[in-house]
Amino acid sequence: MLVNPFELGDSHIRDMAYHTHLNDNATCDTHVLYTTVSTLLYKNRLPETGSSSFQPGFHTLKLISTQMINATSGVQYVHKTTMWILEQLKNYSWDAKALLTLAAFAFEIHRIESLESPWTNEVQSRWKVPPIATNLVAWVMEALEHIWEWLKLSSIGYNTEDVPSLSDAFNEIPLLVYWILASLVASVANIIASSDYQLSDFIDRLSSIDNNLKEHLSLIKQEIDGFEDYLRRKEMFSQTKDSVSMLRNLCEPTPEFPRVQVYDGNTKTKKGFEVFKQKHVLLYFSEFNSIDSEILFLNYIHVRLEENPKEVIKGFKKEDFKILWIPIVDNMDDSAKIKLRFETLKSYIRCYAVEHFSKLPGIRLIREKLNYTGKPIMPVLTPKGDIMNEDAKDLIFQWGIEAFPFRKFDGEDLSLKWKWFWDVLKKLSLGIQLEGGKYIFIYQGKNREWNQKLAFELDKIKVHETIKRADCVIEHYQLGKNDHGAISSFWKEIEIKKETKKASKLHEVLDYEIQDKMESLLRLKNDPQGWVILSKGSNVKVLGGMKPMFETMMNFEIWKDKVLQIEGFDIALKEYYDAQAEDDAAEEVKPTPPNGKMPIIREPPNGEKPQHTIFIKPPKGEKSICDRICSGIKDFFHQCCACATD
């Protein structure tokens, strides 16, 4: 079936051309042939070596030129002839296919211009090379140079994983060779006056694809430079002897470039990486997607480290730990926008932050050596540049400053405080997953109404815009929802663990702390409305009553802003919950007068202080207007609401 190549997509033509290619086994002396072709085209003569000193030889060239001359008029036949040539040259490399076809074209032009016969003038007047054909040849020669440049770069030995544009560039070459051949076929037809093709259309296609190849070649060189830079940084990474060198290796372009600035959120000034000399550094790598909530998280750690900075915990001083946020920018088009965003963030950043708004020079090392995959991570560096913890983010999220100095086993020790609790829940198969820094509510109301009301409020809050902005994930589980027996099983298991812990002969501080937590949990069992537990990961933050927790959730609109103003959802919730629980407790113990009316307490005369306030019932059969006897008793000052006068 005859097709018009101008009506086919690039991918279609590329596939057709590529399917004709078998291998590169056939010999072609491209250097000798290119010299011969250049001499023919630009000096209109054969080189001194003649045409017999190269492979594949004159026969192949004559076969191709004959096919071009005899091609039927029409772009469909240009395509057919081009595919025929590709098939004939299937065992040659792509550059050889293009060069052999150009050589056939050049020999034919030389033959035409060198004809010597009685009818030479007639033929030359009819067969002449138009200027646009000369222009086309220049494009072909330039395209060949680019193909050879690709061959040179690809022969160095880089993998496409390290220099991916090598593959992208090669993808253009079969398409480029096709249009080189098609352009030469059309040009020959115009020269011998068998057709009148618009060679400008062929040049447009040819130049467009060649420009794509040039762009890929430029990227190849950049990627090679980047890969060589990566190898240099990789070697430095393994030899780093201090945290400052490590940070420069990851963030600074090259020694010749100016130093990267570090913004100090505490003093609102700019500094260099030297500020981290002899310091442990909590590196925070993240994008700008949800940075507002992340800055709250970083500020929280910063403030806790600033509290009593000379305090020594587990052999480490808090003042020797610094936080550095390193923004990750993958899309260079966003650099200006990100820089502007950073300027607005400066007002409430408390820790250090790298002022770098493009792709980090050491991003590949950050991904490979520090395991950054796109989600925020927080490795901890020692003053010697060693990695003390590959990622302390979840550890700090769950335990806060309690996890200091943020080694992995510090978290393992802390998790023992509540391990017994999660072991019990695991037996009940609630499907709770602690990974991922989630807030987890576990509750059990005394009746269905309490459970439904709390679940309704939690479902509303978990999709609230404030919660989304804070990047919080909230899950809730009702104990015994699908299996009522799970409630009694839960408390029995807690009782057993409590007794086991009490009987243990170990009397470490942790054991006493665990026993205290067990006692606190067991006190919830008899709460009249039910109970609620809130955990941040595996760290249980609140052991609370159902009523004050429900009221806290119901009043979320009152305290929602504090989620983004202080250290996080759990801190804001606990602050409001504690106040609510205190109010509820005060309400429960407040004395109630017999008639339900509260007395108005008056200031005693002469600055005397009342010692007690009492309610006195009238004698049997007697009644005052307020249902009590209103009389003063020595050392008692009272006045009921019914008898009060101003």
Side-chain angles (χ1 to χ4, degrees):
M1 179 180 176
L2 296 176
V3 294
N4 183 344
F6 291 100
E7 295 176 354
L8 299 177
D10 286 347
S11 60
H12 192 171
I13 294 176
R14 182 185 294 110
D15 290 343
M16 293 173 69
Y18 190 76
H19 286 154
T20 65
H21 184 70
L22 189 59
N23 52 53
D24 298 349
N25 293 340
T27 302
C28 181
D29 299 328
T30 53
H31 177 71
V32 175
L33 186 56
Y34 181 73
T35 302
T36 302
V37 169
S38 300
T39 305
L40 277 170
L41 290 173
Y42 296 119
K43 297 182 180 180
N44 195 25
R45 63 178 176 82
L46 284 168
E48 295 179 1
T49 55
S51 61
S52 60
S53 61
F54 59 82
Q55 293 293 334
F58 186 76
H59 173 74
T60 302
L61 303 183
K62 185 60 180 175
L63 191 65
I64 295 171
S65 65
T66 301
Q67 191 68 27
M68 288 194 291
I69 291 172
N70 294 329
T72 307
S73 178
V75 290
Q76 295 88 344
Y77 293 99
V78 170
H79 170 73
K80 182 179 179 181
T81 302
T82 301
M83 295 305 297
W84 181 90
I85 296 172
L86 286 171
E87 184 65 34
Q88 294 300 308
L89 302 178
K90 60 186 177 183
N91 291 322
Y92 289 91
S93 62
W94 289 102
D95 63 316
K97 296 178 200 288
L99 184 56
L100 285 168
T101 306
L102 179 61
F105 171 87
F107 275 109
E108 193 59 35
I109 297 301
H110 177 71
R111 185 184 68 81
I112 292 170
E113 294 182 343
S114 302
L115 284 175
E116 294 183 3
S117 68
W119 42 271
T120 295
N121 292 334
E122 180 185 350
V123 171
Q124 287 184 333
S125 64
R126 187 162 52 91
W127 293 3
K128 56 185 177 180
V129 181
I132 194 168
T134 304
N135 190 23
L136 185 147
V137 168
W139 274 106
V140 169
M141 297 289 275
E142 185 176 348
L144 269 170
E145 293 285 353
H146 295 146
I147 294 174
W148 286 325
E149 186 176 357
W150 176 84
L151 284 169
K152 180 180 177 182
L153 292 171
S154 63
S155 67
I156 298 174
Y158 294 106
N159 293 321
T160 53
E161 292 81 6
D162 301 318
V163 187
S165 289
L166 281 171
S167 178
D168 296 333
F170 175 72
N171 203 37
E172 301 290 347
I173 290 176
L175 185 62
L176 182 59
V177 170
Y178 171 90
W179 283 107
I180 288 175
L181 271 59
S183 300
L184 293 173
V185 170
S187 184
V188 167
N190 278 13
I191 291 170
I192 65 174
S194 65
S195 294
D196 187 19
Y197 296 117
Q198 290 292 325
L199 292 185
S200 59
D201 294 340
F202 289 88
I203 291 175
D204 287 345
R205 288 295 182 98
L206 177 60
S207 61
S208 174
I209 300 159
D210 187 44
N211 285 333
N212 291 341
L213 178 58
K214 282 195 292 186
E215 290 179 8
H216 291 310
L217 291 172
S218 177
L219 288 174
I220 288 172
K221 293 171 185 176
Q222 293 177 31
E223 289 167 2
I224 288 175
D225 289 342
F227 180 64
E228 293 296 335
D229 181 68
Y230 158 75
L231 293 178
R232 178 183 62 81
R233 292 176 190 274
K234 185 178 180 180
E235 184 177 359
M236 289 178 62
F237 189 93
S238 62
Q239 299 174 356
T240 296
K241 296 181 179 179
D242 61 83
S243 57
V244 174
S245 298
M246 171 74 80
L247 294 172
R248 285 178 174 162
N249 190 32
L250 295 177
C251 300
E252 292 187 343
T254 59
E256 303 86 51
F257 280 80
R259 299 293 191 192
V260 170
Q261 294 290 307
V262 176
Y263 176 73
D264 183 351
N266 214 28
T267 62
K268 308 301 180 187
T269 58
K270 295 181 181 181
K271 299 179 179 178
F273 285 119
E274 291 78 10
V275 73
F276 301 107
K277 189 175 183 179
Q278 298 301 317
K279 300 295 181 183
H280 290 79
V281 187
L282 282 72
L283 294 177
Y284 194 77
F285 296 98
S286 76
E287 298 177 355
F288 277 79
N289 297 341
S290 54
I291 193 59
D292 293 278
S293 61
E294 292 168 7
I295 286 177
L296 289 174
F297 170 69
L298 299 179
N299 285 348
Y300 157 71
I301 311 168
H302 174 84
V303 170
R304 294 298 180 266
L305 289 172
E306 292 282 301
E307 293 174 351
N308 193 10
K310 296 192 179 296
E311 181 182 5
V312 178
I313 302 173
K314 301 177 183 178
F316 295 87
K317 277 187 181 181
K318 289 165 69 176
E319 68 179 356
D320 290 337
F321 283 72
K322 302 298 178 184
I323 304 165
L324 175 64
W325 172 41
I326 302 181
I328 301 296
V329 180
D330 282 328
N331 190 347
M332 296 293 290
D333 295 336
D334 293 339
S335 294
K337 188 193 304 182
I338 288 173
K339 186 175 182 179
L340 185 63
R341 177 85 173 103
F342 186 84
E343 291 298 319
T344 63
L345 293 172
K346 281 184 176 181
S347 60
Y348 59 98
I349 290 177
R350 300 289 300 277
C351 62
Y352 293 97
V354 171
E355 289 199 353
H356 190 82
F357 312 112
S358 57
K359 193 172 182 178
L360 285 169
I363 186 62
R364 184 167 176 179
L365 279 178
I366 293 169
R367 291 194 170 103
E368 290 182 1
K369 299 295 185 179
L370 302 180
N371 300 316
Y372 177 77
T373 59
K375 294 181 179 180
I377 59 170
M378 191 175 228
V380 183
L381 294 184
T382 69
K384 292 184 177 181
D386 299 322
I387 300 174
M388 190 164 76
N389 188 343
E390 292 180 353
D391 188 3
K393 179 177 177 290
D394 287 345
L395 170 66
I396 298 173
F397 176 83
Q398 291 185 54
W399 300 100
I401 199 65
E402 287 183 77
F404 185 87
F406 315 118
R407 297 163 297 187
K408 188 172 289 187
F409 59 80
D410 292 318
E412 292 168 356
D413 291 344
L414 288 168
S415 65
L416 293 175
K417 292 183 180 181
W418 290 103
K419 183 178 182 300
W420 54 273
F421 172 73
W422 296 110
D423 286 346
V424 171
L425 287 177
K426 190 175 181 180
K427 287 185 178 181
L428 301 178
S429 302
L430 294 181
I432 299 174
Q433 299 293 325
L434 298 178
E435 296 78 14
K438 295 177 288 192
Y439 292 99
I440 300 169
F441 287 86
I442 303 164
Y443 58 93
Q444 192 258 315
K446 289 300 182 182
N447 55 51
R448 180 183 296 178
E449 182 182 0
W450 278 113
N451 290 326
Q452 290 177 341
K453 289 197 299 184
L454 181 64
F456 177 75
E457 295 299 331
L458 288 172
D459 284 334
K460 279 200 309 183
I461 290 173
K462 67 192 291 187
V463 296
H464 196 283
E465 187 60 33
T466 300
I467 297 300
K468 292 179 181 177
R469 285 181 59 198
D471 199 27
C472 296
V473 178
I474 296 174
E475 294 180 356
H476 61 88
Y477 302 86
Q478 177 191 332
L479 185 64
K481 182 177 182 180
N482 300 318
D483 178 13
H484 194 72
I487 300 172
S488 58
S489 297
F490 173 75
W491 293 114
K492 285 178 185 177
E493 288 288 337
I494 298 298
E495 290 280 2
I496 292 171
K497 287 193 174 292
K498 175 193 167 188
E499 295 303 319
T500 302
K501 183 60 68 175
K502 284 175 65 177
S504 173
K505 293 183 179 180
L506 295 173
H507 299 291
E508 298 176 356
V509 174
L510 180 61
D511 289 288
Y512 290 117
E513 191 173 348
I514 290 173
Q515 289 182 48
D516 183 60
K517 293 182 184 301
M518 289 177 173
E519 291 284 356
S520 299
L521 178 59
L522 285 167
R523 282 195 289 270
L524 292 180
K525 181 179 178 181
N526 297 318
D527 190 286
Q529 287 83 32
W531 51 268
V532 183
I533 297 170
L534 167 64
S535 78
K536 190 176 184 180
S538 61
N539 185 14
V540 175
K541 306 291 287 187
V542 179
L543 299 173
M546 174 65 79
K547 183 173 181 290
M549 184 62 77
F550 167 71
E551 290 168 340
T552 299
M553 297 295 101
M554 188 173 61
N555 294 329
F556 179 67
E557 290 293 331
I558 297 174
W559 55 274
K560 66 179 183 181
D561 291 341
K562 290 195 173 183
V563 173
L564 297 173
Q565 293 170 359
I566 56 180
E567 289 87 350
F569 173 74
D570 57 309
I571 307 296
L573 179 147
K574 193 171 187 308
E575 182 181 287
Y576 191 91
Y577 170 83
D578 287 346
Q580 188 65 51
E582 188 177 335
D583 290 346
D584 289 355
E587 189 70 29
E588 290 176 8
V589 301
K590 188 183 293 182
T592 304
N595 70 341
K597 297 179 179 180
M598 294 300 296
I600 299 174
I601 307 300
R602 300 291 188 183
E603 289 291 328
N606 302 322
E608 299 179 37
K609 293 183 179 180
Q611 298 178 7
H612 303 281
T613 299
I614 63 171
F615 299 103
I616 306 173
K617 292 184 178 181
K620 189 176 181 180
E622 296 184 16
K623 200 172 188 180
S624 69
I625 59 172
C626 65
D627 295 332
R628 12 183 123 68
I629 293 173
C630 298
S631 60
I633 301 178
K634 189 176 182 180
D635 296 332
F636 288 78
F637 297 93
H638 74 281
Q639 196 167 27
C640 74
C641 55
C643 300
T645 57
D646 292 330

